[in-house]
Amino acid sequence: MTGKAKPKKHTAKEIAAKVDAATTNRGGGKAGLKDRTGEEKGGHAKYECPHCKITAPDMKTMQIHHEARHPKLPFEEDKFVNLHAVHGADSSKTRPGVRGSFKK
């Protein structure tokens, strides 16, 4: 019989990991799919590759993608689609949190 009347102790690292997992949107489910594809407000994915339609959050990440996946094509920043400009990023609308819950 182990743990008889002994309180279980948690480390600060373990508690911080649990808080992070509970409060961070990991992008799962239908709301996460819209966020990843840039369907709603452009999501976290701000730029879209004109060659393969993959999305990235910033131009540096898109440049890394382009050098890795399309090395023979020239890198031209003006050809990349800014999804926030296309979809009109409206910050007044609340974003879904973890598991689709809405936080204010």
Side-chain angles (χ1 to χ4, degrees), residues 61-74:
T61 307
M62 186 54 71
Q63 183 177 6
I64 292 168
H65 157 76
H66 192 273
E67 290 170 358
R69 300 293 179 199
H70 316 290
K72 294 181 181 179
L73 300 171

Side-chain angles (χ1 to χ4, degrees), residues 25-51:
N25 182 2
R26 298 294 181 200
K30 290 182 182 178
L33 179 66
K34 288 180 183 178
D35 192 32
R36 287 190 306 273
T37 58
E39 186 177 314
E40 188 175 296
K41 298 190 305 182
H44 287 107
K46 185 172 182 181
Y47 296 102
E48 182 180 62
C49 180
H51 310 294

Side-chain angles (χ1 to χ4, degrees), residues 79-99:
K79 287 193 174 183
F80 292 96
V81 178
N82 185 346
L83 295 174
H84 287 196
V86 173
H87 294 288
D90 182 23
S91 61
S92 65
K93 190 173 180 183
T94 59
R95 288 187 169 216
V98 177
R99 295 182 192 91

